Amino acid sequence: MKVIDQKKLSTFRLEIDQIDVDIVHLIGRRAEVVRKLMTLKDDDEAVRSPGRVEQVVSNAQATARRVGAPEDVVTQTYRVMIRALTDLQLREYREKKDD
């Protein structure tokens, strides 16, 4: 691998590492709120909330357009994140139900 400027590369990588820390913190905060919401839902369909999923993805796409972020990356990221958090909710919901 040929790198033109190793110092700049290292600086950018450090910046990305810090952004990743921020993103993980935000995902953690989002998961906390999702868990709180879960207490208000009483079945799998309420947990899945397909209409809400589309609303959240649409809001994220609009924000991406407004701030100049790559819309396709934002869309894919949100869909994966929502799917993973929905799976988390379903697991925890079913565990609680089985108790």
Side-chain angles (χ1 to χ4, degrees), residues 75-85:
T75 300
Q76 291 175 51
T77 301
Y78 262 79
R79 290 204 182 279
V80 169
M81 179 178 61
I82 290 168
R83 188 175 317 115
L85 289 170

Side-chain angles (χ1 to χ4, degrees), residues 20-82:
D20 288 343
V21 169
D22 295 343
I23 290 170
V24 171
H25 279 282
L26 290 171
I27 291 170
R29 280 184 48 204
R30 194 177 200 288
E32 272 183 50
V33 175
V34 163
R35 284 187 167 116
K36 290 176 186 176
L37 285 172
M38 195 179 83
T39 65
L40 305 173
K41 298 177 181 181
D42 201 28
D43 63 20
D44 285 13
E45 188 60 26
V47 170
R48 285 188 172 82
S49 304
R52 176 64 179 150
V53 168
E54 292 311 311
Q55 182 184 31
V56 170
V57 171
S58 179
N59 290 344
Q61 290 169 329
T63 301
R65 285 190 296 275
R66 190 173 66 251
V67 303
E71 190 176 338
D72 59 332
V73 173
V74 169
T75 300
Q76 291 175 51
T77 301
Y78 262 79
R79 290 204 182 279
V80 169
M81 179 178 61
I82 290 168

Side-chain angles (χ1 to χ4, degrees), residues 2-19:
K2 183 177 179 187
V3 176
I4 296 169
D5 188 331
Q6 187 64 47
K7 187 175 179 180
K8 281 186 181 179
L9 178 69
S10 295
T11 299
F12 290 139
R13 285 181 173 169
L14 286 172
E15 186 175 359
I16 286 172
D17 291 345
Q18 185 54 56
I19 292 168

